[in-house]
Amino acid sequence: MERERRVAAGTTADPTLRRALGAIAASTVRLATVDPVTTEIVRMRCAKHHDCGT
């Protein structure tokens, strides 16, 4: 099934924004103590963002 694009083809992100988002993602992965509820909320949000449907 083909999904409708949310961002126009050929659109690129500002390099500074990409680096900042990468830094946030990397520091989040390094967290050792995140409660199960927060973990599930983040998992569900990421699944929605990536259209995973899980």
Side-chain angles (χ1 to χ4, degrees), residues 12-24:
T12 59
D14 180 270
T16 304
L17 176 60
R18 292 181 73 95
R19 282 192 298 276
L21 291 174
I24 291 169

Side-chain angles (χ1 to χ4, degrees), residues 31-43:
L31 291 174
T33 54
V34 179
D35 66 278
V37 173
T38 301
T39 300
E40 183 64 7
I41 291 169
V42 170
R43 185 195 69 75

